[in-house]
Amino acid sequence: MTSDRENGITNSAVDLIGNTPLLALDRLWPGPGRILAKCEFLNPTLSLKDRSSYYMVKNAKEAGLLKDGQPIIEVTSGNQGAGVACVAAVLGHDFSVTMSKGNSPQRAQMMRGLGANVVLTDQVTGQPGNVTSEDVAAAEEAAMRMKKESGAFYVDQFNNENNWMGHYSTTGPEIWKQTGGRVDAFLIGCGTGGCFTGTSKFLKERNSTIKCYVVEPEGCEVIGCCPITKKLHLLQGSGYGFVPKIFQSQVCDGSIAVSDAEAIKYRQLLGSKEGVFCGFTSGANIAAAVKLMQSGKLPQDAWIVTVLCDTGLKYPE
């Protein structure tokens, strides 16, 4: 992730991970203040999960937890699985992944294209396009059975501390450098909590006055301590209805709820105003940034940094 690309040659796809630019959304939000978005759709598998995938697998190998040639297994909503598939291919490991059938088929197609063995599990309480915590648990059960049978290394993104460490080591420092330390707030949705925790922790260690917010689906605001009234929502890979184990509440200043309609609206505005086609979580992040700008909680000239998590090509229309 720190590879020198000046000569235009990289040793592998993992050298393309990270060092993504910040995009100023000045057309969508002309001010006052500024919304800056990390372009994580420019990673090799088109999402921010490439960072934590590389960090978790690399550290497992360095610690001796993952042996040369040992198979790898993971449960995913799609993006983490694609990231691990990329890293596994480069490092020479067979990779199997379990995923709920409720996640977009485009994600399964990408993982298969990267050489992964993809096992789709039936939904329990969700429906196509809407995945619940019970659906995730079913996929996890399938992964555990496969792990026992094959002796594979289990990445375990929801409980792996190297998940957030990947963002603490890369995403946070990049944002700090790119803004020259001028960050008033950072916000992002929460799936595993890895990007939020790692990035927020780094930024707050540099400046404790920076405000960090979790973006949650309206009606499924567990971090905001609200009762769950709407389990089904469009934000695949986040808002599962539980607080992830690696989420660190001490770096969280609050949560911002976003409806499906708001996520759709700002996803469309990203395309029509900024020329960027991203997924629904990206739209939700931008909607939350606009809400925060309008809330009066920050100075009028505040800079808010958020994340464009993945490409819109991973979702059906």
Side-chain angles (χ1 to χ4, degrees), residues 234-256:
L234 287 177
L235 307 188
Q236 291 186 41
S238 68
Y240 288 123
F242 61 85
V243 179
K245 181 179 177 181
I246 63 173
F247 174 80
Q248 296 184 16
S249 59
Q250 65 269 27
V251 297
C252 180
D253 293 290
S255 74
I256 301 172

Side-chain angles (χ1 to χ4, degrees), residues 2 41 51 110 112 130 186 190 212 217 248 263 284 291 297 299:
T2 58
F41 59 86
R51 294 177 184 265
M110 178 176 231
R112 291 191 184 103
N130 307 115
F186 171 74
C190 184
C212 298
Q248 296 184 16
K291 284 187 171 184
K297 294 179 179 178

Side-chain angles (χ1 to χ4, degrees), residues 65 75 89 98 101 112 119 131 144 167 176 180 187 193 239 242 260:
L65 300 174
V75 58
T98 62
K101 290 180 180 178
R112 291 191 184 103
V119 177
V131 177
M144 291 301 93
H167 294 284
W176 186 256
L187 58 83
F242 61 85
D260 285 352

Side-chain angles (χ1 to χ4, degrees), residues 103-124:
N103 291 117
S104 63
Q106 287 83 349
R107 297 182 180 198
Q109 181 182 10
M110 178 176 231
M111 290 187 286
R112 291 191 184 103
L114 293 167
N117 169 38
V118 181
V119 177
L120 299 178
T121 59
D122 292 332
Q123 291 194 268
V124 180

Side-chain angles (χ1 to χ4, degrees), residues 58-126:
K58 176 179 74 76
N59 278 274
K61 288 185 74 74
E62 291 174 352
L65 300 174
L66 172 61
K67 311 297 183 184
D68 289 345
Q70 183 181 4
I72 299 173
I73 195 165
E74 179 61 320
V75 58
T76 187
S77 66
N79 282 336
Q80 193 84 71
V84 176
C86 171
V87 176
V90 169
L91 299 183
H93 294 269
D94 289 336
F95 177 53
S96 295
V97 62
T98 62
M99 184 176 78
S100 169
K101 290 180 180 178
N103 291 117
S104 63
Q106 287 83 349
R107 297 182 180 198
Q109 181 182 10
M110 178 176 231
M111 290 187 286
R112 291 191 184 103
L114 293 167
N117 169 38
V118 181
V119 177
L120 299 178
T121 59
D122 292 332
Q123 291 194 268
V124 180
T125 57

Side-chain angles (χ1 to χ4, degrees), residues 4 24 33 52 183 192 196 225 243:
D4 181 359
S52 53
V183 184
T192 64
F196 173 81
C225 299
V243 179

Side-chain angles (χ1 to χ4, degrees), residues 113-298:
L114 293 167
N117 169 38
V118 181
V119 177
L120 299 178
T121 59
D122 292 332
Q123 291 194 268
V124 180
T125 57
Q127 60 188 32
N130 307 115
V131 177
T132 66
S133 58
E134 291 84 1
D135 297 337
V136 175
E140 187 172 15
E141 286 178 16
M144 291 301 93
R145 289 194 297 270
M146 293 171 65
K147 174 184 180 295
K148 186 176 181 180
E149 294 167 1
S150 66
F153 169 75
Y154 179 39
V155 179
D156 197 14
Q157 59 174 304
F158 282 93
N159 300 294
N160 193 326
E161 295 292 323
N162 283 312
N163 182 336
W164 70 261
M165 281 297 299
H167 294 284
Y168 179 86
S169 301
T170 66
T171 315
E174 287 174 29
I175 290 171
W176 186 256
K177 180 179 180 181
Q178 289 166 328
T179 61
R182 184 179 174 181
V183 184
D184 293 281
F186 171 74
L187 58 83
I188 187 173
C190 184
T192 64
C195 186
F196 173 81
T197 294
T199 306
S200 299
K201 185 175 175 62
F202 179 89
L203 293 175
K204 281 182 173 287
E205 286 177 2
R206 296 306 180 276
N207 180 356
S208 61
T209 67
I210 295 173
K211 302 298 182 185
C212 298
Y213 296 90
V214 168
V215 181
E216 297 194 276
E218 188 176 84
C220 197
E221 303 146 56
V222 291
I223 293 171
C225 299
C226 297
I228 296 176
T229 58
K230 186 175 182 290
K231 276 190 175 183
L232 303 183
H233 54 78
L234 287 177
L235 307 188
Q236 291 186 41
S238 68
Y240 288 123
F242 61 85
V243 179
K245 181 179 177 181
I246 63 173
F247 174 80
Q248 296 184 16
S249 59
Q250 65 269 27
V251 297
C252 180
D253 293 290
S255 74
I256 301 172
V258 174
S259 68
D260 285 352
E262 289 169 327
I264 292 169
K265 172 185 175 180
Y266 281 93
R267 180 187 188 228
Q268 292 171 340
L269 286 173
L270 278 169
S272 63
K273 294 285 189 180
E274 302 289 353
V276 177
F277 183 49
C278 291
F280 294 102
T281 52
S282 300
N285 290 340
I286 304 308
V290 170
K291 284 187 171 184
L292 183 57
M293 279 292 196
Q294 295 172 335
S295 70
K297 294 179 179 178
L298 301 177

